[in-house]
Amino acid sequence: EDQVTQSPEALRLQEGESSSLNCSYTVSGLRGLFWYRQDPGKGPEFLFTLYSAGEEKEKERLKATLTKKESFLHITAPKPEDSATYLCAVGNAGGTSYGKLTFGQGTILTVHP
Amino acid sequence: NAGVTQTPKFQVLKTGQSMTLQCAQDMNHNSMYWYRQDPGMGLRLIYYSASEGTTDKGEVPNGYNVSRLNKREFSLRLESAAPSQTSVYFCASSEHGGLAEAFFGQGTRLTVV
């Protein structure tokens, strides 16, 4: 069974204080690893897709990296508007689970001014 | 471009009542998903449809049924609602399940009393 575990559950940062969010995963055949941002009362919004170990993607203050067992979302010099829940998900390529998309429980990020 | 449209946005049901949540996408995507989101539990997969004509169970399928009516529409039915089904429900679609990013609807907030 596919499993995605995110840590920490909640993270409080001061504006400008860089940090990382972790996503550990177990999947029978990884198609892609996805990062999403979710604001209160809204649906998740896509950030990044990573497909193979060693791959990195960047967008403004966010950088996502991937290894064979985990992914990190690095936040550099965060601003209060980066406050949100960040969700990680894995897409399955294997057999009877083909196309399945499994999410972790999310990390709630709060950035204080 | 509407993307993924869910109806209704809010619903209150009495225990034992039935209802169908509707989801439609206009992006010609192959894969569609239904998730529920409860506090502290991220997104849990109820059912998914990797392609038109197929449906598969996710992590929490008990008490739900789905229908992939056509390529655009994927409905979720609660036959006999229970208070444990109080949640926020999200529908999502992806061009290629697990490989391409998923796009989410705005959610349906369901309360069962």
Side-chain angles (χ1 to χ4, degrees):
Chain A
E1 185 175 325
D2 301 345
Q3 285 194 317
V4 180
T5 303
Q6 293 186 243
S7 62
E9 291 185 8
L11 181 62
R12 293 176 177 268
L13 299 174
Q14 289 296 126
E15 185 172 2
E17 179 186 3
S18 302
S19 188
S20 297
L21 282 56
N22 177 263
C23 171
S24 298
Y25 65 90
T26 304
V27 62
S28 56
L30 183 69
R31 292 198 92 190
L33 184 138
F34 305 88
W35 282 98
Y36 289 83
R37 169 191 172 126
Q38 186 176 25
D39 293 304
K42 295 189 176 181
E45 179 182 326
F46 170 74
L47 291 173
F48 302 108
T49 308
L50 301 166
Y51 294 109
S52 57
E55 189 174 359
E56 299 182 351
K57 294 249 178 104
E58 286 189 69
K59 179 180 179 180
E60 296 181 358
R61 296 176 291 282
L62 300 177
K63 179 180 176 180
T65 62
L66 181 64
T67 72
K68 288 186 178 180
K69 293 184 178 181
E70 57 191 350
S71 177
F72 293 92
L73 184 65
H74 307 278
I75 304 175
T76 302
K79 297 182 178 181
E81 53 261 42
D82 294 321
S83 297
T85 296
Y86 290 85
L87 296 161
C88 171
V90 293
N92 195 306
T96 57
S97 294
Y98 179 86
K100 189 177 182 181
L101 186 63
T102 302
F103 279 81
Q105 80 278 21
T107 293
I108 302 170
L109 175 66
T110 305
V111 182
H112 298 283
Chain B
N1 190 351
V4 178
T5 302
Q6 291 182 235
T7 55
K9 291 184 180 180
F10 301 94
Q11 184 71 49
V12 179
L13 288 179
K14 293 183 179 179
T15 298
Q17 286 185 318
S18 63
M19 79 161 295
T20 299
L21 280 63
Q22 307 286 353
C23 175
Q25 51 93 6
D26 62 2
M27 296 172 283
N28 200 36
H29 284 172
N30 294 299
S31 303
M32 296 186 74
Y33 304 85
W34 275 107
Y35 293 91
R36 61 178 288 173
Q37 188 170 39
D38 303 294
M41 303 200 67
L43 290 166
R44 292 188 291 169
L45 183 63
I46 305 172
Y47 273 92
Y48 66 106
S49 172
S51 60
E52 186 181 0
T54 69
T55 59
D56 288 285
K57 295 178 180 179
E59 304 168 59
V60 289
N62 291 344
Y64 305 95
N65 285 299
V66 289
S67 295
R68 184 77 184 262
L69 303 170
N70 46 56
K71 194 171 186 180
R72 290 186 63 249
E73 298 172 287
F74 189 40
S75 63
L76 178 72
R77 182 161 179 84
L78 287 69
E79 291 291 351
S80 180
S84 61
Q85 294 178 305
T86 294
S87 188
V88 180
Y89 292 84
F90 287 100
C91 176
S93 72
S94 170
E95 185 176 8
H96 299 291
L99 183 65
E101 66 268 28
F103 294 82
F104 284 79
Q106 76 277 29
T108 296
R109 186 171 295 275
L110 175 67
T111 302
V112 183
V113 297

